[in-house]
């Protein structure tokens, strides 16, 4: 894909490869399109981010959209809020952080309460790298939740109660889920 990305006609070949049956070929094509940074590919890449059955393809689509600049922000924000795969959501957070802007910031702040630690931390890191300054007790509560600082949430008081209650109601019997729910219960 790298050689094609710089050769004449490479764009057409890479776009055609997005329809290949093999996920690895689609990933390579998306990586090449990301290096080309041609905005004309944004709608097709956005579609793959939203609809491809393979999570590795959706992650590559998020990276490619991030390289296109603000044109990909809406699709990345949707993926951050809705993709079922936490690695895709975390990649979308990383890419949104590099884009900046109010739409990216709003999506990243919303993801501070994601059910996945990886996504919460990726979102917080992206916001911090972008220079985001939390404003108010709710923002402080979201940061504490992203860091899983349950006692800190308890000290914040009323603004933290809905966050703590939501964590307590989460499901899952794995050690991480149980630890989160116990910690949130103690924060209440």
């Amino acid at each position: 894909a790298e050689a094609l990305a710089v050769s004449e006609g490479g764009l057409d070949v890479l776009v055609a490869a997005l329809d290949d049956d093999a996920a690895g070929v689609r990933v390579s094509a998306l990586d090449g399109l990301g290096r080309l940074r041609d905005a004309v590919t944004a709608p097709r890449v956005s579609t793959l981010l939203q609809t491809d059955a393979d999570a590795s393809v959706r992650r590559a689509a998020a990276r490619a959209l991030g390289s296109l600049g603000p044109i990909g922000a809406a699709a990345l924000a949707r993926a951050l809020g809705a993709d079922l795969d936490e690695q895709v959501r975390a990649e979308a957070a990383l890419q949104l952080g590099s884009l900046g802007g109010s739409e990216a910031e709003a999506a990243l702040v919303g993801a501070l309460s994601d059910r996945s630690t990886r996504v919460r931390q990726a979102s917080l890191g992206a916001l911090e790298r972008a220079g985001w300054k939390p404003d108010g007790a709710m923002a402080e509560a979201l940061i504490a939740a992203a860091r899983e600082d349950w006692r800190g949430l308890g000290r914040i008081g009323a603004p933290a109660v809905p966050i703590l209650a939501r964590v307590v109601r989460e499901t899952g019997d794995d050690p991480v889920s149980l630890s989160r729910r116990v910690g949130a219960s103690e924060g209440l």
Side-chain angles (χ1 to χ4, degrees):
E2 190 167 337
L4 279 174
V6 295
S7 71
E8 192 167 317
L11 178 66
D12 294 335
V13 173
L14 291 172
V15 170
L18 297 177
D19 293 321
D20 198 280
D21 289 338
V25 172
R26 295 192 307 277
V27 167
S28 291
L30 286 161
D31 289 344
L33 290 172
R35 283 189 293 281
L36 281 178
R37 294 188 168 113
D38 191 324
V40 75
T41 64
R44 182 72 170 96
V45 174
S46 294
T47 297
L48 283 176
L49 176 59
Q50 305 303 318
T51 64
D52 200 281
D54 190 288
S56 66
V57 173
R58 296 194 310 275
R59 283 193 308 275
R63 284 191 303 273
L65 280 173
S67 73
L68 295 178
I71 194 170
L76 287 166
R78 281 191 303 274
L80 177 57
D83 200 283
L84 297 177
D85 187 277
E86 72 176 10
Q87 292 178 0
V88 174
R89 294 193 313 276
E91 185 65 40
L94 178 67
Q95 297 306 320
L96 281 167
S98 69
L99 296 178
S102 60
E103 184 174 17
E105 183 179 296
L108 289 166
V109 169
L112 291 175
S113 61
D114 190 276
R115 64 189 171 278
S116 163
T117 301
R118 175 180 289 170
V119 175
R120 289 191 308 275
Q121 291 175 350
S123 298
L124 181 58
L127 285 164
E128 288 173 339
R129 285 188 299 281
W132 178 69
K133 303 289 184 228
D135 184 25
M138 181 53 84
E140 292 295 333
L142 289 169
I143 290 171
R147 292 183 174 142
E148 297 189 358
D149 178 6
W150 308 120
R151 289 196 173 125
L153 272 167
R155 285 190 298 274
I156 290 170
V161 170
I163 295 169
L164 290 165
R166 185 180 41 74
V167 173
V168 168
R169 288 190 303 267
E170 288 178 357
T171 59
D173 293 331
D174 59 284
V176 172
S177 296
L178 290 172
S179 175
R180 283 177 45 80
R181 292 187 352 240
V182 167
S185 295
E186 291 172 355
L188 285 170

